[in-house]
């Protein structure tokens, strides 16, 4: 794999760390600013919404900029946002810093996926995309727990300062290692928008929303589920999240390895397996060991869908993949927000802390249904084209007298 992928992975590591580390630091941040925990939770919601908005907007604004330069600008924006968060004198300023940092998230992964795929042979594209996303998965295994421990030991502001330093490292790595890639000839906003006329692109994005949404329906409420149902201590939740991150890392490797060989069969297996495991989580959540194993499996099966779905969008967005790729990253966060909301509804309805697992199972099953539908449409298209190509012209149709 080219060294340029390492630079992209470093940037992804920083982005993944800042996205999730705030969850473990919410009590300290809330206490420092004198706000409630639910109010501090806006730092998570604001970030997710910033990704959804920033992905298409910044990709469109950067359409006339070379992809390498755009990646550098996005990492610069990420650094500024985290520095604002680290130095924020008031909660509103902290929230603004989070939103600024989040704006770079979707475009970075969207443009980075296109760049990564373009650095390797056609039969290794999914592996290259997975290499970049390795930084995101490692952030959950290493960056988030270390950032949480650092924030608890010396203050949460230090954590965000370190994340900003990671952004600087990613920026320098991109400047040094990513080749100068010119803006594709004829790249125009109208051309990028045409990708959304393809039903296969829209179906892939819907699979992204539902499939990874299924993961977050369960994982958003992992802390109360593990402490109140499985019987773990509060301190053990951090290590359960590390286990989840380890599953994400392994799933990313599996997805990158096999998506180039059998993309749709891989999606059938991972989405079907995810639906089954999430359904079983309602039972295994009552046993410590089984619950831990299930957390690992949810992370692995969930993230094994990421490289194939991202590659699916790139493949179907013929000649205009950049905007579609970035919007698909926003779709992940849209799915996260939707699933977390639905999971909260069933808990508030008195169905218990394991009820979000059923929500996740249904979302993953719906994503599997869309995958089967997408494949069926794809099989019919060549058949229709063959019929049209083989139809006799009206002049040659035999006439019965």
């Amino acid at each position: 794999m080219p060294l340029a992928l390492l630079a992209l992975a470093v940037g992804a590591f920083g982005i993944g760390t800042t996205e999730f580390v705030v969850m473990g630091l919410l009590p300290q941040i809330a206490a420092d600013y004198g706000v409630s925990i639910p109010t501090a939770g806006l730092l998570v919601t604001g970030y997710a919404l910033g990704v959804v908005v920033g992905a298409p907007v910044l990709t469109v604004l950067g359409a006339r900029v070379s992809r390498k330069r755009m990646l550098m600008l996005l990492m610069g924006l990420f650094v500024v946002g985290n520095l604002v968060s680290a130095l924020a004198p008031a909660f509103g300023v902290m929230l603004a810093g989070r939103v600024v940092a989040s704006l770079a998230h979707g475009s970075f992964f969207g443009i980075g996926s296109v760049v990564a795929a373009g650095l390797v042979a056609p039969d290794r594209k999914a592996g290259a995309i997975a290499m970049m996303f390795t930084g995101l998965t490692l952030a959950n295994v290493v960056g988030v727990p270390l950032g949480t421990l650092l924030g608890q030991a010396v203050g949460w502001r230090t954590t965000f300062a370190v994340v900003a330093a990671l952004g600087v490292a990613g920026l320098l790595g991109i400047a040094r290692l990513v080749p100068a890639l010119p803006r594709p000839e004829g790249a125009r906003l109208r051309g990028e928008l045409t990708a959304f006329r393809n039903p296969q692109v829209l179906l892939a994005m819907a699979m992204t929303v539902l499939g990874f949404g299924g993961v977050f329906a369960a994982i958003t409420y992992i802390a109360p589920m593990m402490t109140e149902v499985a019987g773990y201590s509060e301190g053990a939740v951090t290590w359960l999240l590390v286990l989840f991150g380890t599953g994400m890392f392994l799933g990313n490797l599996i997805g990158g390895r096999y998506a180039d060989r059998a993309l749709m069969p891989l999606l059938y297996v991972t989405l079907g397996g995810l639906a089954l495991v999430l359904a079983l989580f309602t039972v295994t959540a009552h046993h410590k060991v089984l619950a831990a194993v299930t957390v690992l499996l949810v992370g692995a099966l969930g993230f094994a869908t990421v490289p194939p779905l991202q590659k699916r969008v790139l493949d179907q967005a013929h000649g205009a993949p950049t905007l579609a790729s970035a919007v698909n990253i926003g779709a992940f966060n849209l799915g996260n927000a939707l699933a977390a909301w639905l999971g909260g509804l069933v808990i508030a309805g008195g169905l218990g802390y394991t009820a979000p697992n059923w929500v996740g199972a249904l979302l993953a099953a719906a994503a599997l249904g869309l995958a089967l539908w997408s494949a069926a449409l794809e099989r019919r298209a060549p058949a229709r084209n063959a019929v049209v190509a083989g139809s006799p012209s009206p002049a040659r149709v035999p006439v019965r007298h």
Side-chain angles (χ1 to χ4, degrees), residues 48 66 111-112 204 206 250 295 322 333 369 374 383:
S66 72
I111 296 172
L250 296 174
V295 167
T322 309
N333 285 269
S374 176

Side-chain angles (χ1 to χ4, degrees), residues 85-165:
S85 295
L87 302 173
F91 179 76
V93 180
M94 169 70 169
L95 180 58
R98 289 286 292 168
V99 172
V100 168
S102 73
L103 293 175
H105 183 126
S107 291
F108 181 86
F109 281 109
I111 296 172
S113 294
V114 177
V115 171
L119 291 172
V120 298
D123 62 344
R124 300 182 68 191
K125 286 185 177 182
I129 294 171
M131 178 64 182
M132 180 187 68
F133 276 100
T134 296
L136 178 63
T137 59
L138 283 177
N140 286 273
V141 179
V142 180
V144 172
L146 288 182
T148 301
L149 291 175
L150 179 66
Q152 292 171 345
V154 298
W156 60 266
R157 294 181 186 273
T158 303
T159 298
F160 285 98
V162 171
V163 171

Side-chain angles (χ1 to χ4, degrees), residues 218-219 222 225-226 229 275-287 290-295 298 354 357-358:
I219 295 303
I222 187 174
M225 193 192 315
M226 293 297 96
V229 179
L276 178 61
V277 168
L278 285 169
L280 290 174
F281 204 5
T282 57
V283 177
T284 60
H286 294 271
H287 307 275
L290 293 179
V293 172
T294 307
V295 167
V298 169
T354 62
N357 297 330
W358 282 115

